[in-house]
């Protein structure tokens, strides 16, 4: 029933667009207008919320409610706190972006609000040579992506990595120092993530 209603709405929208004369439409990111002259189109948003079963057109109902993104940095060059020494969690003291407020700055943990594919990236810098660090992106207590920095002759070397993971609603992701001592800051160390698409 939902699929037939969607098909009727799609047909109605396509018919209206075909009957109209020149039409001014804004791009997906509200950047530049596109002038349409008697063309038939189908317009979709970029964030799906439901996927109708058996849709021959391969289209989906979309809305803008799925915007989820965060980015945080270590602003100061500070020694690890007593908490981070105990848990080995890497804390970030300045949040640059927190769309949806799903990144907890106090614990530096991201909590997935819905099932989906998420993209994460991190760049953690050590400040001393003759030091080796290993950092992992941890999801629900298990490392899923790791990075290593161990050049004994390099002072500010970065352990960096990125990847996609599938998360269920309520899953937690954070960075953990698996090896070494992290004392770097100065905005070189970053942790970012966003929802690529829901499932």
């Amino acid at each position: 029933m939902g699929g037939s209603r969607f098909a009727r709405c799609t047909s109605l929208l396509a018919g209206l667009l075909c009957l109209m004369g020149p039409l001014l439409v804004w791009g997906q990111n509200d950047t530049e207008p596109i002038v349409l002259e008697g063309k038939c189109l189908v317009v979709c948003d970029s964030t799906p919320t439901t996927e109708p079963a058996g849709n021959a057109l391969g289209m989906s109902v979309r809305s803008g409610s799925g915007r989820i993104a965060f980015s945080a940095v270590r602003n100061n060059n500070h020694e690890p706190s007593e908490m981070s020494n105990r848990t080995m969690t890497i804390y970030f003291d300045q949040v640059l972006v927190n769309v949806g407020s799903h990144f907890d700055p106090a614990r530096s943990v991201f909590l997935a609000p819905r099932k989906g594919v998420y993209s994460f990236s991190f760049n953690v810098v050590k400040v001393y040579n003759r030091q080796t660090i290993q950092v992992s992106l941890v999801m629900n207590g298990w490392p899923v992506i790791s990075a290593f920095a161990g050049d004994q002759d390099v002072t500010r070397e970065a352990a960096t990595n990125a990847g996609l993971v599938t998360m269920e609603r309520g899953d937690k992701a954070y960075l953990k120092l698996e090896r070494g001592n992290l004392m770097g800051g100065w905005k070189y160390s970053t942790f970012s993530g966003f929802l690529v698409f829901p499932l």
Side-chain angles (χ1 to χ4, degrees):
M1 179 174 172
S4 62
R5 188 178 339 155
F6 176 79
R8 286 197 302 274
C9 291
T10 303
S11 299
L12 179 60
L13 175 63
L16 287 173
L17 289 173
C18 289
L19 292 174
M20 297 176 76
L23 180 66
L24 187 66
V25 175
W26 287 95
Q28 177 182 346
N29 296 324
D30 293 338
T31 51
E32 296 182 14
I34 303 167
V35 178
L36 308 173
E37 298 183 3
K39 305 293 182 188
C40 296
L41 359 141
V42 176
V43 180
C44 293
D45 198 315
S46 61
T47 51
T49 55
T50 59
E51 191 73 36
N55 187 344
L57 296 176
M59 297 167 54
S60 60
V61 178
R62 308 195 179 242
S63 75
S65 62
R67 294 180 179 156
I68 300 163
F70 77 93
S71 186
V73 300
R74 283 171 66 90
N75 186 42
N76 299 309
N77 179 38
H78 49 75
E79 301 287 327
S81 67
E82 181 181 339
M83 174 76 74
S84 63
N85 274 330
R86 187 170 69 248
T87 65
M88 301 310 288
T89 300
I90 299 175
Y91 289 88
F92 295 85
D93 54 16
Q94 182 181 359
V95 176
L96 303 177
V97 172
N98 199 2
V99 177
S101 300
H102 301 293
F103 181 75
D104 179 355
R107 296 184 302 143
S108 291
V109 172
F110 172 77
L111 181 68
R114 63 190 302 177
K115 181 178 181 179
V117 174
Y118 291 80
S119 174
F120 291 98
S121 62
F122 58 89
N123 184 76
V124 178
V125 177
K126 67 175 190 175
V127 276
Y128 300 117
N129 59 0
R130 312 226 175 268
Q131 174 183 208
T132 298
I133 61 171
Q134 180 183 341
V135 178
S136 293
L137 172 69
V138 174
M139 192 168 73
N140 298 329
W142 296 95
V144 291
I145 301 171
S146 294
F148 177 86
D151 191 329
Q152 300 296 301
D153 297 322
V154 176
T155 300
R156 292 190 177 92
E157 185 183 11
T160 184
N161 210 337
L164 300 176
V165 295
T166 300
M167 300 182 78
E168 300 286 339
R169 181 177 181 179
D171 282 353
K172 297 177 182 178
Y174 60 94
L175 292 186
K176 181 178 180 182
L177 187 63
E178 302 278 10
R179 179 181 178 187
N181 297 296
L182 179 66
M183 300 182 183
W186 295 302
K187 300 187 181 181
Y188 294 136
S189 296
T190 62
F191 180 31
S192 302
F194 61 91
L195 172 66
V196 179
F197 55 83
L199 295 174

